[in-house]
């Protein structure tokens, strides 16, 4: 199990190191349009899970939503601190 910050550090390192075979690096290479579409898809799936599927599925979908949110952050150069300062 990882925290939000731990996941961010892992993803940012993969991006910085250009880790071969990383799906995260591939997604970042595809750009913000690709990442944004995935973010919207996961948001919709989270909503549908909350409406019809129960807490376990909601947790799964939220984890994916957080993952794609972090790729947006990395893509535009934000850190968790940048986000936390606005909570």
């Amino acid at each position: 199990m990882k925290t939000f910050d731990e996941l961010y550090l892992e993803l940012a390192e993969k991006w910085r190191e250009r880790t071969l075979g990383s799906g995260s690096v591939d997604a970042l290479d595809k750009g913000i349009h690709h990442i944004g579409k995935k973010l919207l898809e996961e948001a919709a799936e989270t909503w549908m899970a909350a409406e019809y599927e129960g807490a376990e599925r909601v947790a799964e979908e939220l984890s994916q939503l957080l993952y794609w949110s972090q790729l947006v952050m990395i893509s535009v150069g934000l850190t968790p601190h940048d986000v936390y300062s606005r909570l």
Side-chain angles (χ1 to χ4, degrees):
M1 183 169 64
K2 297 174 191 155
T3 66
F4 187 85
D5 290 333
E6 290 167 342
L7 178 61
Y8 179 86
L9 290 173
E10 178 183 318
L11 296 174
E13 181 178 343
K14 285 181 180 183
W15 178 239
R16 192 172 42 256
E17 300 291 324
R18 306 282 307 154
T19 302
L20 291 176
S22 168
S24 301
V25 172
D26 182 54
L28 286 160
D29 280 340
K30 288 179 181 175
I32 194 65
H33 185 83
H34 170 76
I35 296 167
K37 286 178 14 181
K38 292 298 292 182
L39 182 72
L40 287 173
E41 175 187 326
E42 296 304 336
E45 290 174 359
T46 299
W47 171 30
M48 291 295 102
E51 288 271 349
Y52 304 110
E53 299 180 54
E56 188 172 323
R57 283 288 297 136
V58 174
E60 282 181 45
E61 294 301 338
L62 280 170
S63 72
Q64 292 298 308
L65 185 58
L66 291 173
Y67 167 81
W68 288 100
S69 296
Q70 289 194 348
L71 291 187
V72 168
M73 292 167 58
I74 292 166
S75 180
V76 300
L78 294 175
T79 67
H81 176 74
D82 297 320
V83 176
Y84 297 156
S85 69
R86 287 159 176 82
L87 289 178

